[in-house]
Amino acid sequence: MKCFLGVDDTDSHLGHCTTYLGYHLVKRLIGLGGKFSRYPRLVRLNPNVPFKTRGNAAVAVEFECGDSAEIFEEACALVEEYSDVSNGANSGLVLVDNPSQLPFFESIYRRALAEVVNKRGVINALKEKGTRIFALGNGMGVVGAAASIGFNGSLDHTYELLAYRRRERCGTPRVVDKDSVKRMDQETFPRTFNNYDYQRDRVLITPHGPDPVFLGIRGGSPQVLLEAFKRVEFSENLEGHMIYVSNQCTDAHLSHGLSLPLKAYSAGKIAGTVSGLTSGDGGHLYFELETGRGQVRCAVYEPAGDLRKVVRFLVPGDLIEVAGGVRRATSKHDATINVERIHVLSRTLQVNAKNPRCSGCGTRMKSEGTDKGFQCRACGRRASEKENTPVRRTLMEGVYLPSPRARRHLTMPLVRYGRETNGDSYSLVKGWFSASEPRLLRVPARSLL
Ligand SMILES: [Zn+2]
């Protein structure tokens, strides 16, 4: 029978990782005779919810198996083993063996991307359907687990190859040859992306925490990820790797319009006319957007880097669309959009008003006083209006993003614009899952990170 298993919120701030549980889940399921024909799913949900763990990632797998009751027991045992409950994980596991229920899960996915979904409501609905669920901690993970089952290949998606460290290496520095990452990037871009931050001269594929992820490479197809992975040189024996299909780098959380008044922690986009540009402490920039349905306050915080340059070039009257997450109102200010993307739709015409030139001799005329017009000192000709010359704008129409370091997992990099996938998902490639990494590469010490 066809089964869908979703898990979420097994990690804590101290270094467990839901994708690593996903890797072990697949390993165990294959061991139990589970048959895979679709990639495991790595699903990012609303990054603005206040109680998320680091990346707010959930994982779902789809497979064929004999007895879903046995699978459920095994999966619960794995979640217990890999969840960091004592450090704040609120794990959830959901098993669906009735594909006719999938539309319900798709609706939870859509809501969990851009809202805060009520846990109690979801758990009650699942119980009513007779869905098997398992929860640890406060059970918040059940929402993400259900949502991850609802993400499927019919929507825009990317792939990520995640390679995992052996347990004894977790917590030690990751040693990767920087130049090999740059070469890999140059040889596989734009089929892979987010490999290297050239502004800061930093490798982006390796995380820095104590978690078991050694590296993650993102791209548009499973094949190119395997190709890219082969090009990266490092000196560590790994535990294994797995390729996920994902909603990362698709802007999935920003595809819907924000409603007014702004709902705290929601995500989406809204268009309007710029006014009230101000800068605050710490390099944060603020402006108001007149949306036609009311004004909204927008903030571009200091870490957004490049996006602040864009705001500095905005002028009142510009028509833009902002996208991002809503910070709740405080005693000091209204609910505020934390801007993750700016689309400059049309620039207002900015003019520079000068005293007119004389139509006879070309001399710049002198003002005769407020509202009294202008006169040429050379030949006496008069004019009533100032001369308006349009100012050349530095800012172009188009889409602008924060610096790479400030982007979210869900942020669509510019290189993907026009490369969105619609339903054409790849079949499993040889090497999509590996529980033994034969490779140990030595790299020269000078190029170590
Ligand atoms: Zn003149």
Side-chain angles (χ1 to χ4, degrees):
M1 71 171 64
K2 196 180 266 303
C3 279
F4 301 83
L5 247 177
V7 289
D8 185 31
D9 207 345
T10 65
D11 45 356
S12 69
H13 295 277
L14 292 171
H16 288 232
C17 172
T18 302
T19 75
Y20 187 56
L21 167 62
Y23 165 83
H24 278 279
L25 194 58
V26 168
K27 190 173 168 184
R28 186 78 56 94
L29 289 170
I30 291 173
L32 291 167
K35 295 270 177 290
F36 284 77
S37 55
R38 311 271 308 266
Y39 287 95
R41 305 165 195 177
L42 166 51
V43 182
R44 301 286 176 175
L45 300 170
N46 187 353
N48 304 292
V49 297
F51 39 78
K52 62 166 179 163
T53 46
R54 284 159 308 149
N56 212 11
V59 161
V61 291
E62 175 183 339
F63 55 96
E64 289 276 345
C65 70
D67 177 10
S68 63
E70 182 200 1
I71 297 288
F72 184 68
E73 294 305 316
E74 288 282 337
C76 291
L78 266 182
V79 169
E80 281 203 283
E81 186 183 340
Y82 284 93
S83 290
D84 199 1
V85 176
S86 57
N87 284 309
N90 294 303
S91 311
L93 180 150
V94 173
L95 184 136
V96 180
D97 55 12
N98 178 0
S100 73
Q101 292 181 351
L102 289 179
F104 168 74
F105 292 91
E106 286 159 18
S107 74
I108 296 182
Y109 168 65
R110 281 193 297 273
R111 286 170 52 209
L113 267 177
E115 298 171 30
V116 178
V117 178
N118 179 275
K119 170 185 77 179
R120 191 42 54 198
V122 171
I123 290 177
N124 289 343
L126 291 173
K127 281 185 174 159
E128 228 165 78
K129 291 180 184 301
T131 308
R132 290 194 188 87
I133 60 176
F134 174 68
L136 295 171
N138 71 15
M140 194 61 215
V142 170
V143 173
S148 65
I149 291 174
F151 166 71
N152 62 47
S154 69
L155 303 162
D156 186 26
H157 55 271
T158 60
Y159 295 85
E160 179 163 9
L161 182 151
L162 282 156
Y164 298 102
R165 318 183 79 181
R166 297 187 174 195
R167 195 157 284 191
E168 67 271 15
R169 295 302 299 263
C170 292
T172 64
R174 294 167 179 82
V175 177
V176 174
D177 181 71
K178 218 173 179 176
D179 293 334
S180 75
V181 177
K182 277 196 226 178
R183 272 198 308 276
M184 175 274 273
D185 182 62
Q186 282 146 18
E187 286 160 10
T188 60
F189 182 89
R191 296 176 297 140
T192 66
F193 32 80
N194 294 6
N195 299 315
Y196 203 83
D197 181 349
Y198 291 91
Q199 269 180 6
R200 293 245 163 140
D201 201 23
R202 254 185 48 184
V203 170
L204 294 175
I205 59 173
T206 50
H208 299 279
D211 57 286
V213 173
F214 182 72
L215 61 76
I217 306 173
R218 296 173 181 184
S221 78
Q223 199 62 53
V224 74
L225 297 183
L226 288 172
E227 227 179 273
F229 183 44
K230 273 191 208 136
R231 292 169 199 261
V232 179
E233 293 175 11
F234 49 87
S235 66
E236 181 171 330
N237 278 312
L238 299 177
E239 184 179 338
H241 72 251
M242 186 160 88
I243 294 178
Y244 279 101
V245 64
S246 180
N247 65 349
Q248 293 173 152
C249 306
T250 67
D251 271 356
H253 64 312
L254 303 177
S255 58
H256 294 284
L258 283 167
S259 51
L260 294 188
L262 293 174
K263 238 194 308 181
Y265 313 123
S266 60
K269 59 186 178 182
I270 194 163
T273 310
V274 174
S275 67
L277 290 146
T278 52
S279 53
D281 293 339
H284 310 314
L285 303 175
Y286 303 92
F287 57 90
E288 302 282 336
L289 212 55
E290 180 46 67
T291 66
R293 290 171 286 151
Q295 278 211 335
V296 294
R297 184 172 185 266
C298 300
V300 176
Y301 296 104
E302 191 279 332
D306 290 352
L307 205 52
R308 289 184 312 146
K309 293 184 200 159
V310 175
V311 177
R312 292 216 169 87
F313 287 123
L314 288 173
V315 298
D318 283 341
L319 179 64
I320 67 173
E321 179 196 82
V322 299
V326 177
R327 293 205 160 185
R328 67 184 176 83
T330 67
S331 57
K332 291 200 180 104
H333 58 74
D334 296 339
T336 302
I337 300 175
N338 176 6
V339 179
E340 297 174 32
R341 182 183 76 199
I342 292 177
H343 187 171
V344 179
L345 300 168
S346 80
R347 298 164 298 174
T348 192
L349 184 67
Q350 215 189 359
V351 290
N352 211 344
K354 280 185 178 168
N355 291 0
R357 280 189 189 282
C358 171
S359 59
C361 68
T363 311
R364 184 81 59 196
M365 292 175 162
K366 292 286 179 211
S367 172
E368 300 278 82
T370 311
D371 295 330
K372 288 187 179 137
F374 305 88
Q375 188 170 33
C376 177
R377 291 281 159 89
C379 67
R381 279 189 171 79
R382 301 188 58 86
S384 56
E385 300 289 329
K386 280 203 167 190
E387 183 183 287
N388 290 328
T389 45
V391 174
R392 184 195 288 271
R393 296 286 304 272
T394 312
L395 186 66
M396 307 295 280
E397 284 161 11
V399 177
Y400 297 92
L401 298 181
S403 297
R405 62 186 176 276
R407 292 180 196 169
R408 300 185 183 280
H409 293 293
L410 279 162
T411 306
M412 176 141 78
L414 291 175
V415 62
R416 286 204 73 243
Y417 282 74
R419 287 192 169 88
E420 296 90 340
T421 50
N422 285 310
D424 52 327
S425 40
Y426 290 89
S427 51
L428 294 179
V429 289
K430 191 168 177 286
W432 69 276
F433 176 85
S434 160
S436 63
E437 297 290 329
R439 210 154 52 99
L440 175 64
L441 294 171
R442 287 283 161 211
V443 297
R446 58 169 167 75
S447 58
L448 302 186
L449 270 179

